[in-house]
Amino acid sequence: MTDVECNNETVGASARTRRSVQLTVADVIDESPDARSLVFTIPANQRERFSYLPGQFLTLRVPSDLTGSVARCYSLASSPHVDQAPKVTVKRTVDGYGSNWLCDNVNAGDTIEVLPPSGLFTPASLDADFLLWAAGSGITPVMSILKSVLSAGSGRVVLCYANRDERSVIFAGELRELAARYAGRLTVLHWLESIQGLPTRAQLSGFTQTTFAGSTGFESFVCGPAPFMSVIKETLAEAGVPRERIHLEVFQSLSGDPFADGTTSVAADSDESDAAVLQVDLDGTSHRMTWPRQATLVDVLIRSGVDVPYSCKEGQCGSCAATVVRGQVDMATCDILEPEDIADGVILGCQARPVSDDIQIEF
C-alpha cells in the first residue's frame, strides 16, 4: 500500500497505543523526482515485532496542525532477505498531505511513530514463477517481492512496470542492476504512458499473449491505481490465469484511528447471555472463549488478551483476514474481499460478528 489515507482523526497523546513504536530514520533516499524512501533503525528489543514478509506495509503517524495527526500506510520496498533495515517509499500525490509532509520534513535522525508490519499481499512461497505488475508507486511492495524471490527463491520473475514517463520510474537504477545480475531469471518490461498511452485491456491482451505465452502457471501480483489493477485482472482472467493465482493490493481510504488504544473500543458490558462459543486457531495455539453477538472478532480477542493481527479496524486493510472453519458470521463491511474469497470462508476479523452458536476461526 502506498500513500493510503488511513484516517484523519486526532490522535491525542493520552491515547497512544502500546502497539506503536518510535522509530529513528536512519537514511532518506531520493528515488525519483517525486519519491523518497525512509530507512528505519529497529531497536534490538523490537526486531521480532518488526520482522516482516515481502509485500507488507507499515503505518506511519504524521503530525498535523489541523487534526493533531493523520495515519498513512506505506509499503515496504525493502526485502527481509536482502536488506539490513526496513525501507518504505513515499511518492508525492496531488493534495496528499501525508506524502508531501514526509517528503518535505523528514531527515535522517528524526523519529516517527510506527505500527508493526501488516498486510496480506505476500507470496506463500518464493520458489514459484512470478508475473509482477506495478504502476507508479505500486512498485514498492512489488519490489520487495521481486528482490526476495531472486535472493531467497528459485523461480523466474517478469516485471511489467507502468509509469507516466521515464523520469517517473522509481528504482530505475536498482532495476537495471538486478536485471543484469539475474539475467537468466529476471525480465523487466517498462510501459510508458508518454509513448504507449494508458494501458487498455485490448493492448494488454495482445501484450500478454505475445510476451507471456504459456505463463498461466505463474503467480501474478498486481499493485497500482484501481483502473490499472482492474485492467490487469480482466486481462489475466481472459488469458486463462486461475483466480487463485491473481493477487491484488487493494487501496482504500480509512476513517478509523489505528493509533488509538485498541482496548477502548471493546464494550465492557457486552451481553454474555446470548454469546456464541468460539475457537480461534492462531500461530499454532487454540483459544476458546465466548463471543458476544454485538462484539467483533478482533474486539473479543483483544479483550481476551490474544495477540490478534489487526491494523485499521475499519475493514479496509486486510490485516485481520481469517477463515471460518466451522459456523457462520456476518460482516458489516467487506469491500476489499473478492466474492470468491467470501465464498471460500475468508472474513475480516474487525468486521465479523457471530451468527451461529458454535464457531471456529483460523488465522
Side-chain angles (χ1 to χ4, degrees):
M1 301 175 73
T2 50
D3 205 34
V4 178
E5 298 187 358
C6 294
N7 70 75
N8 291 307
E9 302 293 328
T10 300
V11 184
S14 62
R16 297 286 181 271
T17 171
R18 288 189 296 270
R19 295 192 306 133
S20 64
V21 176
Q22 291 283 347
L23 296 183
T24 299
V25 177
D27 195 10
V28 178
I29 304 169
D30 290 323
E31 305 285 5
S32 73
D34 58 358
R36 308 182 86 192
S37 289
L38 309 181
V39 182
F40 292 106
T41 298
I42 306 299
N45 64 346
Q46 296 293 336
R47 286 174 186 166
E48 183 176 351
R49 292 184 66 209
F50 277 83
S51 63
Y52 62 97
L53 298 173
Q56 290 192 307
F57 64 88
L58 296 180
T59 304
L60 279 57
R61 178 178 173 268
V62 181
S64 169
D65 292 336
L66 296 178
T67 61
S69 71
V70 296
R72 297 290 186 265
C73 303
Y74 295 99
S75 294
L76 287 148
S78 53
S79 163
H81 302 281
V82 177
D83 302 295
Q84 293 184 344
K87 175 181 77 173
V88 298
T89 302
V90 181
K91 181 178 180 180
R92 294 181 187 273
T93 58
V94 177
D95 299 325
Y97 173 79
S99 63
N100 284 284
W101 191 95
L102 290 168
C103 286
D104 290 336
N105 294 280
V106 177
N107 298 294
D110 292 343
T111 59
I112 299 178
E113 189 173 353
V114 182
L115 291 176
S118 193
L120 301 175
F121 187 70
T122 184
S125 169
L126 297 178
D127 291 321
D129 292 329
F130 290 86
L131 298 181
L132 303 178
W133 306 82
S137 59
I139 189 63
T140 51
V142 167
M143 191 68 170
S144 178
I145 294 171
L146 182 152
K147 292 196 295 183
S148 297
V149 171
L150 294 175
S151 174
S154 58
R156 293 172 293 160
V157 180
V158 177
L159 167 66
C160 182
Y161 185 19
N163 280 284
R164 292 191 307 272
D165 50 43
E166 192 172 354
R167 280 173 48 86
S168 303
V169 178
I170 304 173
F171 310 129
E174 190 173 5
L175 285 171
R176 283 194 298 269
E177 292 174 4
L178 289 169
R181 187 188 315 165
Y182 296 96
R185 295 176 58 203
L186 173 62
T187 301
V188 179
L189 303 168
H190 290 283
W191 185 293
L192 301 181
E193 181 184 341
S194 59
I195 298 175
Q196 296 151 287
L198 287 171
T200 66
R201 188 163 61 176
Q203 288 174 311
L204 286 173
S205 178
F207 181 72
T208 302
Q209 292 174 13
T210 301
T211 309
F212 305 132
S215 65
T216 55
F218 283 51
E219 294 285 335
S220 278
F221 282 77
V222 189
C223 187
F228 171 81
M229 293 199 297
S230 179
V231 167
I232 299 300
K233 179 184 177 183
E234 293 170 0
T235 302
L236 291 173
E238 288 181 352
V241 178
R243 181 192 65 83
E244 62 270 16
R245 294 186 179 275
I246 304 173
H247 312 275
L248 308 178
E249 176 67 302
V250 179
F251 293 77
Q252 295 282 358
S253 293
L254 311 179
S255 59
D257 179 6
F259 286 91
D261 185 351
T263 60
T264 61
S265 62
V266 182
D269 58 350
S270 298
D271 182 10
E272 299 280 353
S273 62
D274 185 29
V277 175
L278 172 65
Q279 175 183 332
V280 172
D281 300 322
L282 173 64
D283 294 334
T285 302
S286 289
H287 307 269
R288 297 180 182 275
M289 64 199 72
T290 57
W291 187 0
R293 303 289 176 180
Q294 299 306 311
T296 68
L297 176 61
V298 166
D299 282 347
V300 77
L301 290 175
I302 291 173
R303 187 181 64 178
S304 300
V306 177
D307 188 17
V308 57
Y310 75 95
S311 183
C312 72
K313 297 185 71 176
E314 295 291 324
Q316 305 294 357
C317 74
S319 301
C320 60
T323 302
V324 177
V325 178
R326 181 178 66 250
Q328 183 180 358
V329 305
D330 181 54
M331 289 187 291
T333 300
C334 55
D335 293 340
I336 71 168
L337 294 179
E338 296 286 332
E340 297 88 348
D341 294 327
I342 297 174
D344 290 340
V346 179
I347 64 167
L348 299 176
C350 69
Q351 299 296 302
R353 291 178 170 82
V355 173
S356 55
D357 296 328
D358 183 25
I359 301 172
Q360 180 181 357
I361 305 291
E362 183 178 89
F363 281 89

